Amino acid sequence: MTTPMSVPSLHDIRAARTRLGTRVVTTPVRELVDDAVAARLAPHTRVWLKEELFQRTGSFKPRGALTVMLDLTADELARGVTGVSAGNHAISLGYCARELGTTATVVMPRTANPYRIALCKELGATVELVDTVHDAFTRVHEIVATQGRTFVHPYEGPRTALGTATVGLEFVEQLQHEDAPLDAVIVAAGGGGLTGGVACAVKQLSPHTAVYVVEPEGADTMYRSFAAGSPQSIDKVRTIADSLGAPRCEPYSYALNRQFVDDVVLVTDDQIRDAMRLTFRAAKLVTEPAGSAALAALLYPLRDQLAGKTVGLVVCGGNIDATTFGTLIATPPTAGA
């Protein structure tokens, strides 16, 4: 593909997956066959789940982080890594650093779920807490300057996208012998690293498959960027799906999504909670809000558009504690929702 930016080729994506080896697992793919789901969708709509919440560390994040870190020199590895995250990327960096024999210092907003903070520490990461995600990026750059650590971005860059593209590669190839190929794939966006990588792989393997990105209304950086035609930012994250709360869209991620994604749609927090309840009932999965955002998109903004289609949903993560999960799914819809 001729393009001014670096686009992962299928050869490169397959090589990256081989290089990741057993440090990541090939997560299950399952058709969601359930009366409660069928009742909510148009007739003959089929749903397949890519259960990335069963990835090591509970989310897709090690794919991108390891792909970046495997290219570090011995000296760079010795100095360690750092990163910004509301949880999943930080957890991933702790795991990746341990796997590669180095250390990680992660910067998280104080609002991060205590369960995720505890997981980071269990994996050996040093955790620093700051007031906001914007403050976290400022602090990470200070750590790079004073400690010499390598900043592993949570979603931006060609190596990150190369790693996340392995999700799309697996998804399509795991279903290649099924009777109904995927008409569409829906994947949730934080900053766009996962969505760009997945879309890049899916479109090269199956050009007819539409790829939709979903964001919460309270963290709509990719939606705003598509509308404006350039990377945009938001002043504050306002959603229960905190792992989708990127403060801004970065140039490479934006360009990759712009090239391969068909459309970006938005869902409300009430719709995400509804999807979490249905995921729990029908798939018997406990997801963080981000992990059910793709189903929320299929239940709401994309329901009629994808009526009667075979749709793949990326269940991107499940790092949530029992108390928070129970509170979220028990919360009634807001007035007028």
Side-chain angles (χ1 to χ4, degrees), residues 188-278:
L194 174 63
T195 56
V198 168
C200 169
V202 168
K203 286 293 190 179
Q204 292 183 75
L205 282 163
S206 180
H208 74 278
T209 302
V211 180
Y212 297 94
V213 166
V214 55
E215 288 184 312
E217 287 185 349
D220 59 346
T221 53
M222 191 63 68
Y223 183 86
R224 294 183 185 210
S225 299
F226 269 49
S230 62
Q232 301 294 306
S233 56
I234 56 176
D235 64 334
K236 186 178 180 180
V237 175
R238 301 175 176 86
T239 176
I240 60 170
D242 56 348
S243 53
L244 301 181
R248 57 181 175 265
C249 187
E250 301 289 355
Y252 180 84
S253 297
Y254 168 73
L256 197 63
N257 279 269
R258 182 76 271 185
Q259 180 167 340
F260 291 105
V261 167
D262 290 88
D263 199 8
V264 183
V265 299
L266 299 178
V267 291
T268 67
D269 281 358
D270 281 336
Q271 290 168 349
I272 292 173
R273 278 188 286 263
D274 182 33
M276 290 174 68
R277 287 188 285 268
L278 186 57

Side-chain angles (χ1 to χ4, degrees), residues 32-42 47 274 277-284 295 299 303:
L32 185 57
V33 180
D34 183 84
D35 288 349
V37 175
R40 298 288 303 276
L41 299 176
V47 179
D274 182 33
R277 287 188 285 268
L278 186 57
T279 303
F280 182 62
R281 170 179 170 170
K284 312 306 180 192
L295 178 59
L299 292 172
R303 180 188 183 278

Side-chain angles (χ1 to χ4, degrees), residues 298-313:
L298 180 60
L299 292 172
Y300 289 97
L302 294 174
R303 180 188 183 278
D304 294 339
Q305 189 171 343
L306 297 180
K309 305 293 186 180
T310 299
V311 184
L313 308 179

Side-chain angles (χ1 to χ4, degrees), residues 144-166:
V144 171
T146 59
Q147 299 181 24
R149 293 180 179 273
T150 297
F151 175 34
V152 181
H153 201 285
Y155 54 86
E156 175 70 346
R159 302 302 296 173
T160 299
L162 179 62
T164 62
T166 63

